[in-house]
Amino acid sequence: GAALGSVLRASQGAYWNGIVANIFKHGEALLLVVLLDLQSVGHYGVALAFYQLLTEAPRAVVWPLVGRLTRGDAPTAEITASGLRLVPVALVVPVLAMAAAVPSVISVFYGEPFAPAGTLLAWMAPGVVFRSIHLVVYSYLVVVGRLERIVICVGGAAAANLALDLLIVPSWGLGGVAFSNVVSEAVLAVLSVVVFLRETRLPARRVLAGRADLGDLWGHVTRVVGTWTR
């Protein structure tokens, strides 16, 4: 009975989270069709497709964390706090590298008329790092069966995104789209961390990267590189 109730609560949380996330994603697309000219909408569509590919990078990094969280004796809150300290930092260089390379790829495959899509993607790239923070918290809430708590995070980010679109896209164009995207991803990250801290009662300093964390990350990177070069 208790196990079934936990599964049903998790399923309900995933259901509502999916609805809000789809409103977030598709609602903005419909709004931008009204706010932008047709050519800019095409550039946005291409940039968004590649942006979704970039967001697979944090997913790939976070999934091993899920494996650690699901071990019966794992201290889930502490592992998640460690992920919040390390995952965003670890992704900065790869995301910047991909953001620098993809505009050239877009120009090669789509032609120079689509070069603005590459520029838009480069300005949107910091949002991927913020998304990684949300995904770490999302993984924790899935494991502990409290996924319904993430709905308010996604809803808050969606509201910020749509409000900024209405305020700045008419005058800023694609630059406004990029700004709105990064701010909404930042809102999603901050709200997710707030939910995590309230759930775990951990102090905020436990999710902030320090010198020791950066040393551990560097040590891990050198070990991985050493394994590849053997």
Side-chain angles (χ1 to χ4, degrees):
L4 178 60
S6 177
V7 170
L8 290 175
R9 285 194 299 273
S11 299
Q12 184 181 40
Y15 172 76
W16 286 110
N17 183 66
I19 288 178
V20 175
N22 276 292
I23 292 173
F24 186 4
K25 181 168 60 177
H26 300 298
E28 183 187 30
L30 293 173
L31 179 61
L32 292 180
V33 169
V34 177
L35 298 178
L36 295 171
D37 60 83
L38 188 59
Q39 186 179 49
S40 295
V41 170
H43 294 153
Y44 166 76
V46 172
L48 182 63
F50 280 90
Y51 183 80
Q52 295 301 328
L53 288 176
L54 289 181
T55 60
E56 293 303 315
R59 294 180 192 280
V61 173
V62 167
W63 273 116
L65 178 68
V66 176
R68 292 182 63 193
L69 291 175
T70 53
R71 295 173 188 166
D73 58 346
T76 54
E78 294 294 338
I79 293 173
T80 304
S82 176
L84 288 171
R85 294 195 301 270
L86 296 178
V87 170
V89 177
L91 285 172
V92 169
V93 173
V95 167
L96 290 178
M98 287 187 288
V102 169
S104 298
V105 173
I106 291 176
S107 295
V108 169
F109 285 95
Y110 291 89
E112 284 302 318
F114 280 89
T119 303
L120 173 60
L121 179 65
W123 284 107
M124 291 169 63
V128 177
V129 177
F130 289 125
R131 179 75 66 91
S132 72
I133 297 172
H134 165 70
L135 290 173
V136 172
V137 176
Y138 182 92
S139 301
Y140 170 80
L141 294 174
V142 168
V143 171
V144 299
R146 298 298 303 273
L147 193 56
E148 72 278 1
R149 297 298 304 275
I150 212 69
V151 175
I152 190 172
C153 305
V154 178
N161 190 215
L162 297 177
L164 283 171
D165 282 345
L166 288 169
L167 287 173
I168 65 177
V169 169
S171 56
W172 291 15
L174 290 177
V177 174
F179 181 80
S180 174
N181 177 83
V182 173
V183 170
S184 64
E185 294 281 14
V187 169
L188 180 61
V190 170
L191 291 178
S192 298
V193 170
V194 169
V195 166
F196 171 72
L197 294 176
R198 292 189 65 178
E199 283 287 315
T200 61
R201 305 299 181 185
L202 290 175
R205 66 177 182 275
R206 300 298 291 275
V207 300
L208 299 176
R211 185 175 299 177
D213 297 305
L214 298 178
D216 291 342
L217 179 62
W218 178 250
H220 178 70
V221 170
T222 55
R223 287 193 297 272
V224 170
V225 172
T227 302
W228 289 348
T229 54
R230 285 177 186 172

